[in-house]
Amino acid sequence: MAQSPAAEEADHDARRATQWLAGAARCDGVSREELLHLGTAMAALATDPGAGPAGRDPIVKPLPDPHFVRRDGNAEMRWSALAGQGYLVPTDRFFVRNHTHTPVLDADTWRLSLFGTGLRGTPTRDAPIEIGYRDLRDLPAEKSTALVECAGNGRHFFARQGDPTPGVDWTLGAVGVARWRGVRLSTVLRHAGLTDAAVDVQPEGLDPEYVTGGVNLGRVRRPLPVGKALHDVLLAYEMNGRPLPADHGFPVRLVVPGWVGISSIKWVGPVEVSATPLFSPWNTRFYRMFGPGHPAGGGPPLTAQNVKSAFELPWDARLPDTAEVLLTGRSWSGRGPIRTVEVSVGRDGDDDARWRPARLVDADRDGAWQRWSLRWRPPAPGRWILRARATDVTGAGQPDRAAANDLGYLFDGVVRHPVLVTRTAGS
Ligand SMILES: Nc1nc2c(c(=O)[nH]1)N[C@H]1C(S)=C(S)[C@@H](COP(=O)(O)O)O[C@H]1N2
Ligand SMILES: [Mo]
């Protein structure tokens, strides 16, 4: 009997995890023993900006204060930067998450190099099948409007609910939607001789090797199950109608719509296609759920992002008490389109405030995220708490408290967003 894709994936992950724990599988660049003994040093990984060339900013593009908050070597988008913008996040406001620093690569010498036991003839890493930038641009192109979000987006709010974790202290700005253009990964895999035996596809970044807690974890890389790799993944060379900027993966990156951002490997070079499951620190020690309620080796590797909502307002935004204001925001889920959004406004601690449906922007139905608005007439000056919560097409919503986990992934709780209503002259 044919299994559902979800069941197949779960099987695949279980097999992979068992092999890894049994030491049967390989985890390039770092032994299983090393990984198991890294202990708390590993928890520091997410915050460690890594070793960059002295004096060089890890991010190349300007990060003006109205658009970004710097978080170690990373840059979080301010949600207020999206007020009045269109559906897409302009490239100059798109968040950046770098494990080390943005490399400057040359498209003329760049190669995608495919190898492994899942390709006909088993090309090796040293004698791979190569595709240059021009070759890639000559293959049939596709466009995709897709969301990229860091698995740790919203981690700051775990701390606010009393469950602090290590990792980049993102509020809600480690997410963006862009218009990507490139070649389907499936096209390139078939071109390279993909066989039925292939189970995992592991792209590897050309940015510097990642060293943390004294251990070199090698280049950033994480396997994708072949089912996902063939489904909707793009090898993108354009973002919002322009060649990819350096910080977002020039010349070519993966875009894995709706999945944890680490799947969307930037500056991709080598791609291993394997007939046996693959492992890297990024699908074993990281990007799984750890902590109470989860297996000792962590839950299955994380895939889709969950539901979140954000107001396009600064924290402690000042609003006048004279007029009705239009509250705007966006909600999204990696599992599919948003179906409902509700907003409530109350005083601090007033947690049974009435929820009202927000007005959804029609054009966004079935899209990567959903814009919405609600008119509000501040009843009185002082501090008010705005809350928004959404449900997606699978019925998943946003709980009052998100389920805690040791590395602070997949926050989906309702965020309390404070605003200050000020008395204006004449009112
Ligand atoms: N090669 C490489 N790819 C990478 C990363 C990285 O550090 N190196 N960071 C990943 C993470 S954790 C995220 S959330 C996304 C962020 O993509 P962006 O910087 O374009 O927003 O890229 C992913 N791809
Ligand atoms: Mo991330």
Side-chain angles (χ1 to χ4, degrees):
M1 202 184 74
Q3 277 188 316
S4 72
E8 271 174 31
E9 217 160 77
D11 267 14
H12 173 66
D13 288 340
R15 238 179 5 254
R16 195 151 60 170
T18 311
Q19 286 185 345
W20 185 70
L21 290 169
R26 126 197 115 67
C27 181
D28 286 343
V30 53
S31 77
R32 180 177 150 270
E33 287 68 29
E34 257 180 306
L35 279 177
L36 289 171
H37 290 115
L38 280 172
T40 51
M42 299 293 286
L45 187 146
T47 39
D48 189 337
R56 150 102 136 71
D57 209 305
I59 297 177
V60 170
K61 71 180 179 184
L63 301 170
D65 188 63
H67 297 167
F68 291 102
V69 184
R70 285 171 183 261
R71 304 222 178 267
D72 307 317
N74 310 288
E76 167 163 8
M77 178 195 71
R78 288 190 198 272
W79 266 91
S80 49
L82 282 192
Q85 293 295 315
Y87 186 74
L88 303 176
V89 175
T91 305
D92 65 0
R93 297 166 199 216
F94 208 95
F95 84 100
V96 181
R97 165 71 173 114
N98 282 351
H99 280 73
T100 59
H101 64 263
T102 294
V104 179
L105 303 176
D106 175 1
D108 292 333
T109 54
W110 174 87
R111 297 273 180 282
L112 195 66
S113 46
L114 298 114
F115 63 96
T117 54
L119 296 178
R120 256 196 315 278
T122 311
T124 60
R125 184 181 257 275
D126 298 333
I129 292 170
E130 294 192 319
I131 300 178
Y133 190 65
R134 297 261 150 252
D135 310 328
L136 193 72
R137 297 210 60 139
D138 285 344
L139 290 171
E142 287 214 17
K143 288 183 184 158
S144 162
T145 300
L147 179 123
V148 174
E149 180 180 22
C150 188
N153 194 27
R155 181 179 283 122
H156 177 78
F157 299 103
F158 278 120
R160 292 225 169 191
Q161 65 175 38
D163 303 309
T165 72
V168 181
D169 194 36
W170 306 113
T171 59
L172 289 175
V175 61
V177 171
R179 186 93 172 126
W180 310 94
R181 184 164 175 270
V183 179
R184 274 180 174 267
L185 179 57
S186 63
T187 304
V188 169
L189 291 175
R190 293 204 172 98
H191 177 86
L194 183 73
T195 71
D196 288 345
V199 296
D200 273 348
V201 177
Q202 179 164 259
E204 183 178 305
L206 296 171
D207 39 336
E209 294 182 336
Y210 187 66
V211 179
T212 187
V215 179
N216 185 345
L217 300 180
R219 282 170 169 169
V220 177
R221 63 203 186 282
R222 187 177 196 252
L224 275 175
V226 75
K228 181 65 173 176
L230 294 178
H231 178 52
D232 58 357
V233 177
L234 209 61
L235 280 163
Y237 46 70
E238 275 182 20
M239 178 180 187
N240 295 333
R242 310 269 310 149
L244 271 185
D247 296 311
H248 298 290
F250 182 85
V252 177
R253 79 175 301 168
L254 252 71
V255 173
V256 183
W259 277 29
V260 285
I262 187 66
S263 321
S264 293
I265 295 291
K266 304 192 277 190
W267 312 294
V268 60
V271 178
E272 178 166 6
V273 183
S274 177
T276 55
L278 295 175
F279 300 87
S280 88
W282 289 269
N283 75 333
T284 53
R285 303 314 293 159
F286 302 100
Y287 304 102
R288 291 177 181 244
M289 292 299 197
F290 295 95
H294 299 290
L302 298 180
T303 57
Q305 290 286 135
N306 53 5
V307 187
K308 288 187 194 65
S309 301
F311 288 91
E312 295 171 341
L313 282 173
W315 212 249
D316 292 324
R318 288 173 177 274
L319 303 174
D321 73 339
T322 39
E324 197 176 62
V325 288
L326 186 67
L327 302 173
T328 64
R330 305 181 191 219
S331 299
W332 62 95
S333 161
R335 299 196 188 104
I338 293 298
R339 287 296 175 243
T340 65
V341 182
E342 297 169 295
V343 173
S344 89
V345 184
R347 290 296 193 180
D348 247 337
D350 168 17
D351 275 358
D352 43 31
R354 194 164 61 91
W355 289 94
R356 287 193 286 157
R359 195 182 68 78
L360 307 188
V361 173
D362 267 340
D364 302 355
R365 277 191 198 282
D366 300 328
W369 61 9
Q370 176 69 57
R371 287 170 294 173
W372 45 260
S373 64
L374 188 90
R375 298 195 172 281
W376 180 51
R377 171 83 208 226
R383 192 167 191 263
W384 293 86
I385 304 295
L386 310 180
R387 291 184 292 167
R389 67 180 184 198
T391 54
D392 71 13
V393 68
T394 72
Q398 298 188 248
D400 257 354
R401 271 185 79 85
N405 63 90
D406 288 354
L407 296 182
Y409 297 134
L410 300 186
F411 181 87
D412 62 355
V414 175
V415 169
R416 286 153 177 75
H417 188 133
V419 295
L420 292 166
V421 173
T422 51
R423 189 177 295 282
T424 36
S427 74

